[in-house]
Amino acid sequence: MKAVVLEKACAPQDLYVKEVPMPKVKPGWVLVKIKAFGINRSEIYTRQGHSPSVKLPRIIGIECVGEVADPSDSTMKKGQRVVSLMGGLGREFNGSYAEYALIPSSQVYAINNEMDWGKLAAIPENVLYSLCFII
């Protein structure tokens, strides 16, 4: 599959797409076909080398929208529209700057709408931050 793999701190123009192996599905994780993702400040910091806890090389990307490609042992269904964000995505394990991401099933959330993928990708982290201010 194609992915942007951060191998060292760099400028945005130094990022490139490369071929990497498809993630292997395992119990407790869902394989998501990425349709779109947001770009967040934390990814910019990581790309600049300011995230010492992120072990490189790493496919970054802390949020995504897409479809379930393989639900593994979860209750998800293949083709189901989903969102995911944070919880180690793109930091502790490979993230969303790829064609597919393997994500813990506990942080893959089913959605029921037909919103354009690009518009939908702008929502997950914005909603999370809004909820933080409400609470």
Side-chain angles (χ1 to χ4, degrees), residues 76-108:
M76 299 279 172
K77 303 287 184 232
K78 185 174 179 162
Q80 188 169 19
R81 290 169 63 99
V82 294
V83 302
S84 184
L85 67 156
M86 302 172 59
L89 182 64
R91 300 181 66 75
E92 296 169 19
F93 53 90
N94 285 331
S96 62
Y97 287 22
E99 292 182 287
Y100 293 86
L102 189 62
I103 306 170
S105 56
S106 62
Q107 70 182 69
V108 178

Side-chain angles (χ1 to χ4, degrees), residues 19-124:
E19 285 290 326
V20 299
M22 280 282 290
K24 292 189 186 333
V25 180
K26 56 188 177 182
W29 295 67
V30 173
L31 184 65
V32 176
K33 179 173 181 35
I34 306 298
K35 294 293 191 171
F37 56 84
I39 297 176
N40 297 280
R41 185 176 302 266
S42 71
E43 295 152 359
I44 294 169
Y45 287 150
T46 300
R47 181 189 45 76
Q48 293 171 335
H50 304 302
S51 299
S53 67
V54 177
K55 305 288 187 251
L56 302 180
R58 172 72 64 218
I59 298 171
I60 57 176
I62 67 167
E63 68 178 319
C64 63
V65 296
E67 296 175 340
V68 173
D70 187 329
S72 182
D73 60 351
S74 76
T75 59
M76 299 279 172
K77 303 287 184 232
K78 185 174 179 162
Q80 188 169 19
R81 290 169 63 99
V82 294
V83 302
S84 184
L85 67 156
M86 302 172 59
L89 182 64
R91 300 181 66 75
E92 296 169 19
F93 53 90
N94 285 331
S96 62
Y97 287 22
E99 292 182 287
Y100 293 86
L102 189 62
I103 306 170
S105 56
S106 62
Q107 70 182 69
V108 178
Y109 308 100
I111 55 171
N112 186 16
N113 69 44
E114 296 300 320
M115 186 179 287
D116 171 81
W117 291 114
K119 290 177 182 173
L120 185 59
I123 295 175

